[in-house]
Amino acid sequence: MSVPALPGVLSADEVEATGRSIAAMQEPDGAIPWTTGEHVDVWNHVEAAMALLVAGQVAAAEAAYDWCLELQRADGSWPMKIVRGEVEDDSGETNMSAYLAVGVWHHWLVRRDRSFVERCWPAVRAGLDYVCSMQLPWGGIAWSREWTDGAPGEASDEAMLAGSSSIHHSLRAGLALAALLDAPAPRWEEAAGRLGHAVREHPDAFADKSTYSMDWYYPVLAGVVRGAEGAALLATRWDDFVVPGLGVRCVDTNPWVTGAETAELVMALDALGERDRACRVLGDSQHLRLEDGRYWTGFVFPDEGNWPPEQTTYTAAAQVLAVDALSRSTPGAGIMRGDSLPAVRELEGDCRCRLSA
């Protein structure tokens, strides 16, 4: 397997340096915090593990997955925030709990290690079962469940568009793993069908987070909306979020571009076949890179200063995965394009739509 490289953007040596920078922030138990001393959440932790794998840091990546297996709770969820091994927020978040499936499928694509998949499968299954238990009648996935006195408590009745789109991707990865292991999961297929319909046809039913760029591009990135419909969706707010020469705003009202959102939009563009534009946008964000491979989280452009004053593992990870996607360097490069994932038939929830036969 070759380390990703993208001429004119990042060399293989630079990608390896970024992989080392992520590994350097990994804690002894395998946890990958946002930055040294900060909290860990499972979604960003798994994304960092994926980047470590393609950057050649195999042992660090697998230690990160071991951490996931150790920290999962009986209901299939993980605490929302963990700081140096201590739970800071014990709420369960569905998108976080789903994403292990994507990481394990990515590992399979890159390493073809069936024993690794079999070892992780019980955690993947428990995480996705937890997520399905949180599906709302109209198809969206409630975003969190409180934990009280060490036990699951009240669930939210709100669903997030970006998070639910990501969950759809995770459910498809879970179905790919289920097929590999000959372990049918019809509940996941049904949940994905209903969720896909909700994202495509009823985006207004989700909590209004439209000021955030993630709500704009995530239905495309996660594979729910693609083709001409996906291109039209990105065109609707391109000028609101994309700052030429700098990257992508996190929030439309703030003059702040961020490296993670930029890299994710790049992968959404790649999934639509817009490689040239994707390469240009990714190149624009390299002003966030330090010589040792770390990345500033963002840049406030009126002040011409990096903010916050930190380099984050999730920003570095998203950049590495974007380079891999555009360069087609590793067998896992299509993880966001969904090249290896099964299609899911759209199903109606209780939204009273009439789906065409």
Side-chain angles (χ1 to χ4, degrees):
M1 182 193 81
S2 59
V3 172
L6 191 63
V9 179
L10 288 180
S11 68
D13 287 347
E14 288 172 322
V15 170
E16 287 181 333
T18 296
R20 290 193 298 270
S21 79
I22 297 171
M25 293 193 220
Q26 188 172 32
E27 295 172 356
D29 63 357
I32 304 174
W34 283 19
T35 192
T36 301
E38 252 287 1
H39 77 272
V40 184
D41 74 72
V42 175
W43 198 101
N44 286 293
H45 170 91
V46 168
E47 182 184 44
M50 293 162 64
L52 286 170
L53 193 64
V54 303
Q57 297 282 336
V58 177
E62 295 189 347
Y65 285 114
D66 287 341
W67 180 89
C68 291
L69 304 189
E70 289 291 326
L71 268 289
Q72 190 180 38
R73 298 184 291 207
D75 71 343
S77 70
W78 283 265
M80 195 176 293
K81 288 185 178 181
I82 300 170
V83 180
R84 296 191 181 277
E86 298 294 326
V87 174
E88 186 175 276
D89 184 342
D90 59 5
S91 303
E93 205 265 16
T94 48
N95 184 27
M96 294 180 188
S97 300
Y99 206 59
L100 179 63
V102 175
V104 173
W105 182 246
H106 178 260
H107 189 283
W108 165 253
L109 294 174
V110 174
R111 301 286 294 176
R112 297 287 168 172
D113 183 346
R114 188 181 178 94
S115 64
F116 176 86
V117 174
E118 290 173 344
R119 182 162 59 86
C120 294
W121 172 246
V124 170
R125 183 177 57 203
L128 291 180
D129 284 346
Y130 166 77
V131 167
C132 290
S133 75
M134 298 277 280
Q135 189 160 37
L136 300 168
W138 54 273
I141 305 289
W143 80 280
S144 71
R145 182 186 293 278
E146 298 289 336
W147 269 59
T148 55
D149 299 324
E154 184 177 351
S156 169
D157 61 359
E158 281 194 323
M160 305 298 173
L161 182 59
S164 287
S165 298
S166 179
I167 288 169
H168 188 272
H169 184 225
S170 296
L171 286 166
R172 291 176 65 206
L175 289 167
L177 291 166
L180 175 67
L181 298 178
D182 193 22
R187 184 187 186 192
W188 301 351
E189 188 168 6
E190 178 183 352
R194 293 172 59 211
L195 179 57
H197 175 72
V199 170
R200 286 175 60 89
E201 303 297 335
H202 304 290
D204 292 343
F206 294 86
D208 183 7
K209 301 292 182 182
S210 56
T211 60
Y212 291 86
S213 60
M214 289 180 66
D215 259 33
W216 164 58
Y217 64 70
Y218 234 98
V220 178
L221 176 63
V224 188
V225 182
R226 288 282 169 88
E229 187 181 359
L233 176 58
L234 292 190
T236 60
R237 303 206 62 194
W238 184 270
D239 292 339
D240 294 336
F241 289 115
V242 180
V243 183
L246 292 179
V248 175
R249 295 177 191 249
C250 176
V251 182
D252 60 5
T253 56
N254 295 347
W256 180 49
V257 295
T258 52
E261 277 79 359
T262 301
E264 288 183 334
L265 176 63
V266 163
M267 289 186 278
L269 289 168
D270 173 65
L272 295 176
E274 297 193 35
R275 186 178 185 278
D276 290 346
R277 186 155 63 151
C279 288
R280 185 167 62 253
V281 173
L282 187 63
D284 286 348
S285 68
Q286 297 313 306
H287 63 95
L288 296 169
R289 182 182 176 85
L290 281 74
E291 288 188 7
D292 63 1
R294 293 175 296 159
Y295 279 82
W296 294 102
T297 299
F299 178 78
V300 181
F301 44 88
D303 301 334
E304 296 191 353
N306 295 108
W307 186 87
E310 63 184 19
Q311 297 84 44
T312 40
T313 55
Y314 63 81
T315 302
Q319 291 277 329
V320 167
L321 293 174
V323 170
D324 193 30
L326 291 172
S327 65
R328 273 62 167 173
S329 297
T330 78
I335 189 65
M336 298 311 299
R337 291 191 298 274
D339 298 345
S340 60
L341 301 181
V344 175
R345 184 171 64 91
E346 193 172 300
L347 297 172
E348 181 184 344
D350 73 348
C351 52
R352 305 295 189 265
C353 285
R354 292 184 175 275
L355 294 175
S356 58

